[in-house]
Amino acid sequence: MRLSTRGHYGLKAMYDLARHYGAGPIPLKNVAARQNISGYYLEQLIAVLRKGGLVKSVRGAQGGYVLARPPDEIRVGDIIRILEGPIAPVECVSEIRTAECDQADRCITRTVWEKVRDSITQVMDSISLADMCREEERSRQNRE
Amino acid sequence: MRLSTRGHYGLKAMYDLARHYGAGPIPLKNVAARQNISGYYLEQLIAVLRKGGLVKSVRGAQGGYVLARPPDEIRVGDIIRILEGPIAPVECVSEIRTAECDQADRCITRTVWEKVRDSITQVMDSISLADMCREEERSRQNRE
DNA sequence: TTGAAAACCGAGTAATATAGTAGGAATTTT
DNA sequence: AAAATTCCTACTATATTACTCGGTTTTCAA
């Protein structure tokens, strides 16, 4: 019951971009260094996020990446769906295109996975990058 | 964000045993046939469940498997934890104490995964095999 | 106008996990 | 004795993961 590092690193990177939102394009190298992720690897992940429309790139020197929308309009679920595909604890209850299960509607285990899926999406879709930034702010103040 | 077939098949098998609880040992062959799972493969999964204390085996002819506890005392979470390990969307928020995260407590993405994990466990630990049997009964009556 | 900084692209790779398959030994009932 | 069944170990093909790497293109800034 695991996410791969794709989703894990992807959220870290997007959160990093959110924290620097408004400061112009952020070079990936900086993101990778701050979040302690392989730069080469992150390059591949950000390409997927760009094609998915979550970030925009600025090429050339002084270039980098910027969130395509403000932090309060990007939710964790958006990121995970793009990097890991539709949320589905088992393939027969995928958010997208339900592969026809042989047992069809008399499969009771299916309803269990639907409940699990719904609880995951409920959490992921309720948290935006802006929420995460606010939470960081709060916990930073607590430490002082 | 997927379970492997281990958890998927494992729950099916356990549910099958729950439906036949009280009818003596059920041969694995029957479970595999009814649930449409490879018998060879299921053999490996049931061995894990047995070592995990969720089923008991009766060897020899007319033997088979029986739930180790009544269906209302076995929850989905018990089965998944044994077959797939501790529930953890990412390894740094495993239910079981594992690797230290370098960022420790100032990692905000961590709190997201903790919320996801808690919502998954909340669902899985609230559904017992007995609940599933009751739900089956209800949906069977609806079809009539 | 040149050099450096960056995104972009595609290929390769070692390790691990997945989803089985298979054969045979041990145990128990009929 | 035969049949049914669990139990145990090993094998395998495929896919995924988490990278690494080399090179190309674009753009800015001195």
Side-chain angles (χ1 to χ4, degrees):
Chain A
M1 200 57 199
R2 287 260 164 106
L3 235 62
S4 70
T5 59
R6 293 170 66 86
H8 191 183
Y9 292 173
L11 179 60
K12 280 189 171 199
M14 291 294 282
Y15 167 67
D16 194 276
L17 292 180
R19 291 206 60 192
H20 296 86
Y21 189 67
I26 312 294
L28 202 58
K29 208 174 55 170
N30 298 7
V31 176
R34 274 192 296 261
Q35 300 300 323
N36 198 29
I37 302 172
S38 150
Y40 286 129
Y41 190 39
L42 187 54
E43 235 180 67
Q44 291 174 36
L45 304 185
I46 203 90
V48 177
L49 292 168
R50 181 173 53 80
K51 283 165 196 156
L54 290 191
V55 298
K56 284 179 177 156
S57 64
V58 179
R59 300 188 67 167
Q62 268 61 49
Y65 291 92
V66 187
L67 295 184
R69 305 194 297 265
D72 63 306
E73 291 178 26
I74 299 177
R75 291 147 302 156
V76 174
D78 300 331
I79 299 164
I80 298 306
R81 285 188 188 89
I82 282 175
L83 287 173
E84 310 237 357
I87 291 161
V90 304
E91 75 286 359
C92 63
V93 299
S94 173
E95 288 180 306
I96 294 194
R97 195 179 71 80
T98 298
E100 61 300 331
C101 179
D102 50 343
Q103 314 241 341
D105 49 13
R106 70 198 151 89
C107 176
I108 298 300
T109 63
R110 182 191 173 90
T111 72
V112 172
W113 305 128
E114 283 170 351
K115 285 175 190 162
V116 171
R117 180 199 61 199
D118 292 345
S119 88
I120 294 171
T121 58
Q122 200 279 324
V123 172
M124 287 190 178
D125 289 339
S126 71
I127 305 175
S128 71
L129 292 176
D131 292 329
M132 292 174 65
C133 290
R134 275 190 289 273
E135 181 147 2
E136 199 282 334
E137 184 65 17
R138 261 202 310 281
S139 83
R140 200 166 56 76
Q141 285 175 350
N142 281 351
R143 280 201 303 279
E144 280 161 9
Chain B
M1 199 58 198
R2 286 260 163 106
L3 233 64
S4 70
T5 59
R6 293 169 66 85
H8 190 182
Y9 292 172
L11 180 60
K12 281 191 171 198
M14 289 294 281
Y15 167 67
D16 194 277
L17 292 181
R19 291 206 61 192
H20 296 86
Y21 189 67
I26 312 294
L28 202 57
K29 207 175 55 172
N30 298 7
V31 175
R34 274 192 298 260
Q35 302 298 324
N36 199 28
I37 303 171
S38 149
Y40 286 129
Y41 190 37
L42 188 53
E43 236 180 67
Q44 291 175 39
L45 304 184
I46 202 90
V48 177
L49 292 168
R50 182 173 53 81
K51 284 165 194 155
L54 291 190
V55 298
K56 284 180 178 158
S57 64
V58 178
R59 302 186 67 169
Q62 267 60 50
Y65 291 92
V66 187
L67 296 183
R69 305 194 297 266
D72 64 306
E73 290 178 26
I74 299 177
R75 291 148 302 155
V76 174
D78 300 332
I79 298 163
I80 299 306
R81 286 187 188 89
I82 283 174
L83 286 173
E84 310 237 357
I87 290 161
V90 304
E91 76 286 1
C92 61
V93 299
S94 173
E95 290 180 303
I96 294 195
R97 196 80 197 103
T98 54
E100 284 301 316
C101 180
D102 49 344
Q103 315 246 340
D105 48 14
R106 69 198 152 88
C107 176
I108 298 301
T109 63
R110 183 192 173 87
T111 72
V112 172
W113 305 128
E114 283 170 350
K115 285 173 189 162
V116 171
R117 179 198 61 197
D118 291 346
S119 89
I120 294 171
T121 58
Q122 200 280 323
V123 172
M124 287 191 179
D125 288 340
S126 71
I127 304 175
S128 71
L129 292 176
D131 293 328
M132 293 174 64
C133 290
R134 275 190 290 272
E135 182 147 1
E136 198 283 334
E137 183 64 17
R138 261 203 310 280
S139 83
R140 199 165 57 75
Q141 284 175 351
N142 281 352
R143 281 200 304 277
E144 279 162 10

